[in-house]
Amino acid sequence: MRIIVYQNYQLLSKKAAQIIASQIILKPNSILGLATGSTPIGTYKNLIKMYEEGLIDFSKVTTFNLDEYYQLPIDNNQSYHFFMNDNLFNHININKENIHIPNGMAKDIDNECLNYDKIIDNSGGIDIQLLGIGNNAHIGFNEPTINFNKKTHIVTLDESTRKANARFFSSLEEVPTKAITMGTGSIFKSKKILLLASGKNKAKAIYNTVYGEVTPEVPSSILQFHQDVILILDTEAASLLKDKDYEVLNEISKVR
Ligand code: PGA
């Protein structure tokens, strides 16, 4: 596990975008795993800027998103379909046919989940998976539980997750109680994983991800077993880690 710590969210976002851009430059038909939530927004802004500057081309890129709320219409402005269009896809030259997001409105949810994993596998697998992390250490919507979920599945959201996400809705009651998420196993199959965390409220989850017991009670802890994981943190999210375990970068220019 490589841990990179920046002084602030802006630098963290720029670095994450640089890593994703490098992946696309190296392999124009890359398969990207994408995430929603507030953390990746800065990364997407930087990617859009690089696209506008002609540095990256998304025309051959394929994407798979981690999750989607169950039974929230895709034109609802809180759906992750809406989020992705608004924060990334509407601003780049991605081929819409190459975009994959679980369909929370599917009539046959079991089939939707089964199919999602199949399409990922048939694409050759995810080259780089972008992740945020919940305060409860969830990745995607894999909430703390007694077993690691291997495959894409429907999940009942933790109350803590619904409360954390209520800030995007007008009330807690409006936050869906269920979602479809790629399983921990589906995420783990990605060739490279890039996890971003910003802010003090993520410090404990990051501590447990890095040093804790590997357990489905801390879903992100499974990443300790993955051979190619980069954590990009700001100083607040890294505040419980031991300095010796990471490199601190103050200036993005140092990594150019
Ligand atoms: P956040 O969510 O980026 O909005 O903090 C992350 C997550 O819940 O995975």
Side-chain angles (χ1 to χ4, degrees):
M1 198 178 265
R2 183 173 171 214
I3 304 171
I4 304 176
V5 181
Y6 281 104
Q7 296 301 328
N8 59 52
Y9 175 73
Q10 283 70 24
L11 294 173
L12 165 164
S13 300
K14 200 163 181 184
K15 174 70 169 175
Q18 285 181 342
I19 292 174
I20 295 170
S22 307
Q23 170 67 44
I24 298 170
I25 292 165
L26 278 172
K27 185 183 170 203
N29 61 345
S30 283
I31 314 292
L32 307 182
L34 298 179
T36 51
S38 42
T39 312
I41 290 176
T43 305
Y44 295 150
K45 282 206 170 96
N46 278 281
L47 284 172
I48 293 167
K49 191 158 169 276
M50 286 184 217
Y51 162 70
E52 287 170 348
E53 288 168 352
L55 299 174
I56 42 175
D57 170 18
F58 287 87
S59 63
K60 297 194 181 70
V61 165
T62 294
T63 63
F64 288 92
N65 262 80
L66 285 167
D67 43 22
E68 177 57 285
Y69 288 117
Y70 177 57
Q71 287 190 345
L72 193 65
I74 61 174
D75 57 356
N76 182 302
N77 65 6
Q78 292 311 326
S79 80
Y80 288 163
H81 281 76
F82 191 98
F83 176 100
M84 288 308 301
N85 287 332
D86 202 33
N87 286 291
L88 183 65
F89 297 144
N90 285 349
H91 311 284
I92 57 174
N93 68 332
I94 191 158
N95 180 344
K96 300 280 183 219
E97 284 173 11
N98 293 344
I99 295 171
H100 304 276
I101 304 176
N103 178 6
M105 299 296 288
K107 286 211 176 68
D108 185 343
I109 286 291
D110 289 344
N111 192 47
E112 170 67 18
C113 293
L114 209 65
N115 235 346
Y116 203 69
D117 284 321
K118 247 190 223 160
I119 305 171
I120 296 176
D121 287 346
N122 291 345
S123 74
I126 292 170
D127 291 304
I128 185 164
Q129 174 67 57
L130 182 63
L131 294 178
I133 185 168
N135 299 343
N136 65 359
H138 72 204
I139 47 176
F141 271 137
N142 291 280
E143 304 285 29
T145 180
I146 49 166
N147 285 315
F148 285 114
N149 267 293
K150 292 195 190 75
K151 299 193 166 168
T152 300
H153 61 287
I154 187 152
V155 65
T156 299
L157 299 176
D158 265 14
E159 270 318 287
S160 67
T161 298
R162 292 187 65 242
K163 280 188 187 140
N165 289 4
R167 68 190 195 277
F168 302 115
F169 292 80
S170 359
S171 68
L172 178 61
E173 290 65 47
E174 278 184 28
V175 184
T177 54
K178 291 182 178 191
I180 298 183
T181 181
M182 272 166 59
T184 317
S186 331
I187 294 170
F188 197 82
K189 280 206 249 171
S190 308
K191 290 162 198 150
K192 186 183 271 297
I193 292 178
L194 189 58
L195 184 146
L196 312 181
S198 164
K200 197 123 203 121
N201 59 336
K202 299 292 171 69
K204 187 153 184 286
I206 290 298
Y207 177 89
N208 289 334
T209 304
V210 175
Y211 303 118
E213 185 193 344
V214 175
T215 160
E217 298 289 342
V218 180
S220 57
S221 64
I222 193 81
L223 300 179
Q224 290 177 30
F225 290 154
H226 195 282
Q227 57 178 5
D228 196 354
V229 177
I230 306 178
L231 304 191
I232 308 185
L233 314 172
D234 64 9
T235 40
E236 288 193 342
S239 56
L240 298 177
L241 302 185
K242 299 170 192 123
D243 292 0
K244 68 171 180 50
D245 290 334
Y246 62 76
E247 49 185 301
V248 190
L249 297 161
N250 291 310
E251 303 292 338
I252 201 81
S253 56
K254 284 188 184 164
V255 296
R256 274 203 176 127

